[in-house]
Amino acid sequence: MPKIEILSPAGDFEKLKIALLYGADAVYFGGQQFSLRANAKNFSLEEIERATKFAHSLNKRVYVTVNIVFHESDLVGLKEYLKALSEIGIDAIIASDIVVLRLSKEINAQYELHLSTQSSVLNVGAALFYKNLGVTRIVLAREASKEDIKKIKEATGLELECFIHGAMCTSMSGRCVLSNYCTNRDANRGGCAQICRWMFDTELSNTPFSMTSKDLNMIPHIEEMIEIGVNSFKVEGRMRGIYYIATVILTYRRLVDKIVNHTITSQDVAYSLAILNRCANRESTPQFFASIPTNKEQYYLGRDEVSNQDFLGLVKSYEEETQMVILEERNIFRLGDIVEFFGPNVETFSIKLSKIYDEEDNPLEVANHPGMMVKIPVPFPLQEFDMMRLKVFDKKDYV
């Protein structure tokens, strides 16, 4: 069986580091030019070089998005930028415009060419067209069904990358013009104002109308996707925080490894689904893979998006002699709370908070200042970048 890649977004260097430490095989991000996430921090060329060196030190890969739809004015500096990316030694670019593919060939770029989901490939003919242009991997449209994926794989032999988790576009894989129409911000050049998330008044009802898609969650179908030849599982979310990245990547990493090792159980799937459904503030569903979405896969008449407060703290260090964890507080917690620690190199475990201290070893009843450093006695060793969250689920309850 070919290696199954977990591909994570990386909105900045901290998120990139968390993603790779928590089990991602590769990360993708945009530079400060030619990327569809103009509102993300994005990476300068110096930061791309730093990120590439860090990823490669872990034997992991870096993909840079160059996936806007180019107008003539956008082409200024493109060739020089592509040359710079090639010299840095990134592993691939993710592009949607043919001009980027042709320029990359013209300069003899040393990176791979991955076709962006923006190109909306859903059939064999389109896949073969891009294969002839030198593309080695296609990020299929989010609307691809199981049968679409299977046919494209069998007919082309290309590497296939599919989104498995995160936000969905209401339009066809990002081909939306609502943002341009309503705000004069070009969604296909990085300026999407997410009009599909707005609430609209109508003349026919006093209830506001929404066209928001529920998030994508492919936990129930990961094994099927592996069987039909998907090579890379992609998570959406360059604007998401480190807790989201850590939780989603680690969950899929462990699930995929169990599938590959033939140790997966229904309990693993059910527990993973519960964890991921808790992690974000929108409901999630498999969307197009098994069937055409219905009204159940979309919010039509409003929604309740409550910010998740489960992320309690980030481990900074662990003192083995005193069995004390040094934690950077992120959300409020207090004595008596049942919390859970998780990380890439520790089995998830829970404890009841019996003692909390500040940096001067003064006892606290509550930690309620985000960013404050606290000390907590924990009987199991932890590592930097492990995390503490509110305990909500118990795996043994999933049978």
Side-chain angles (χ1 to χ4, degrees), residues 120-129 138 140 144 148 151-152 155-156:
S120 303
V121 170
L122 286 166
N123 61 75
V124 171
L128 289 173
F129 171 81
I138 291 182
L140 292 177
D148 293 330
K151 288 177 181 178
I152 292 170
T156 69

Side-chain angles (χ1 to χ4, degrees), residues 310-319 324-334 339-342 351 353 355-359 364 367 369-378 382-390:
D310 290 351
F311 180 28
L312 303 181
L314 179 68
V315 173
K316 306 301 287 186
S317 63
Y318 182 80
E319 299 174 354
M324 198 74 71
V325 63
I326 313 300
L327 195 78
E328 181 184 295
E329 189 252 350
R330 293 302 178 96
N331 282 295
I332 187 171
F333 57 89
R334 52 178 52 85
V339 301
E340 208 167 51
F341 286 92
F342 71 101
I351 63 170
L353 294 179
K355 295 178 182 178
I356 306 172
Y357 302 95
D358 66 15
E359 288 185 275
L364 301 172
H369 299 291
M372 72 183 293
M373 304 300 292
V374 298
K375 299 179 181 179
I376 300 171
V378 178
L382 292 162
Q383 297 178 352
E384 185 182 10
F385 302 114
D386 289 345
M387 297 185 186
M388 185 176 87
R389 66 187 173 204
L390 188 67

